[in-house]
Amino acid sequence: MQIAGKVVVVTGGGNGIGQALCEAFAKAGAAKVVVADLDQARAEAVAQSVGGAAFKCDVAKESDIEHVIEETERQYGPIDLFCSNAGIGGGFDPLSENAGGTSDEPFMKSWMIHVMAHVYAARHLIPRYKARGGGYFLNTISAAGLLSQVGSPAYSATKHGAVGFAENLAISHKAHNIRVSILCPQGVDTNMLRGIPKGPQSDDGNLSPEQVAQDALKGVEQETFLILPHPQVLDYMRKKTDNYDRWIGGMAKIQAKLRESFGAKAQ
């Protein structure tokens, strides 16, 4: 898909990767970039900078996503590309005393934002895409959805869920000319990365949001399902599937180092 002349929606577009995506799509000639974010002031600021439009949107609420879709199409025309980008970094516990946690809250909050937001976008756009002969979804996920996230069972589980849904979305609707890409970076220099405890993703070639957005743009233009801004992730994936037990052992060693490091700080 070429972005020039297209209507694009980006959730979580007020900061970080989302803001960089908005800027990249605008530079690529999008007819309209719609910035959707829980922080309306940030959405409006980014929209103003790219000549776009802004909506306040809590992606955990189906009604908010439906509103963004309906109003975008009413005001600016059919959506060509929907970027389900919003995410959170909650549920991190470097000591990982119990992977099951002590409450449902971090799991359910992550589930709604990392999985159901993608489901809601598909639920309300698939009928429209099918009626007009096609469309595109770009879902920002994470390398954690392909590998894992030491220190956050909730992040790991929901990002894996997001990958699984995107795979099925692509399989179910390929015949309808509906394309899907998943953007799976490791560490990206954003407020979210800076707000979580340091882990293996923190010192393995952190990229700028702008670089990740350029990789995403290229991936969409080439209609690539899996977009990996960090090329080393492909090697990690191969090692994981080549010998799952060895990979689990290696990740457990990383977890042990985190426990040692953060345990010492807590004393």
Side-chain angles (χ1 to χ4, degrees), residues 20-263:
L21 286 171
C22 292
E23 293 167 351
F25 293 138
K27 289 178 182 177
K32 181 64 69 172
V33 175
V34 174
V35 187
D37 201 286
L38 188 60
D39 185 337
Q40 187 169 0
R42 283 299 309 161
E44 291 173 352
V46 174
Q48 184 175 10
S49 72
V50 300
F55 289 101
K56 183 174 183 178
C57 179
D58 180 351
V59 298
K61 297 179 179 178
E62 182 177 1
S63 59
D64 278 22
I65 292 178
E66 182 180 16
H67 175 75
V68 169
I69 291 170
E70 289 185 348
E71 283 303 303
T72 295
E73 297 212 339
R74 185 181 69 82
Q75 296 182 41
Y76 307 111
I79 295 168
D80 298 287
L81 171 63
F82 191 96
C83 303
S84 193
N85 168 80
I88 59 172
F92 278 76
D93 175 15
L95 297 177
S96 194
E97 298 291 352
N98 185 335
T102 57
S103 78
D104 292 347
E105 194 274 337
F107 286 92
M108 297 309 297
K109 186 174 182 179
S110 293
W111 176 259
M112 296 304 297
I113 294 171
H114 294 158
V115 181
M116 293 309 298
H118 302 315
V119 173
Y120 296 149
R123 182 174 295 167
H124 293 282
L125 273 172
I126 289 292
R128 297 168 187 256
Y129 281 176
K130 289 172 72 173
R132 52 186 179 246
Y136 211 119
F137 293 99
L138 170 64
N139 293 350
T140 301
I141 303 180
S142 169
L146 306 167
L147 302 168
S148 194
Q149 179 59 60
V150 172
S152 182
Y155 194 83
S156 296
T158 56
K159 290 298 187 178
H160 274 72
V163 170
F165 177 71
E167 289 173 348
N168 199 274
L169 183 64
I171 292 165
S172 297
H173 298 292
K174 186 175 179 63
H176 303 127
N177 195 35
I178 294 170
R179 301 296 179 248
V180 181
S181 290
I182 59 174
L183 178 60
C184 294
Q186 284 198 135
V188 183
D189 186 20
T190 63
N191 291 336
M192 189 174 82
L193 182 68
R194 291 188 288 270
I196 62 176
K198 276 201 167 187
Q201 77 285 347
S202 303
D203 298 301
D204 192 19
N206 288 350
L207 298 178
S208 69
E210 291 74 21
Q211 178 60 60
V212 172
Q214 286 303 311
D215 290 334
L217 177 61
K218 182 178 178 180
V220 169
E221 289 175 342
Q222 296 176 349
E223 299 189 356
T224 302
F225 177 75
L226 177 58
I227 302 172
L228 293 176
H230 295 79
Q232 63 268 40
V233 171
L234 184 59
D235 183 52
Y236 299 157
M237 292 171 64
R238 288 171 174 157
K239 289 179 178 178
K240 176 180 179 178
T241 57
D242 181 60
N243 190 323
Y244 226 128
D245 291 314
R246 182 175 62 192
W247 178 81
I248 290 288
M251 294 293 280
K253 289 179 181 177
I254 294 173
Q255 177 68 76
K257 289 181 180 178
L258 277 180
R259 284 197 183 104
E260 182 180 354
S261 174
F262 281 87

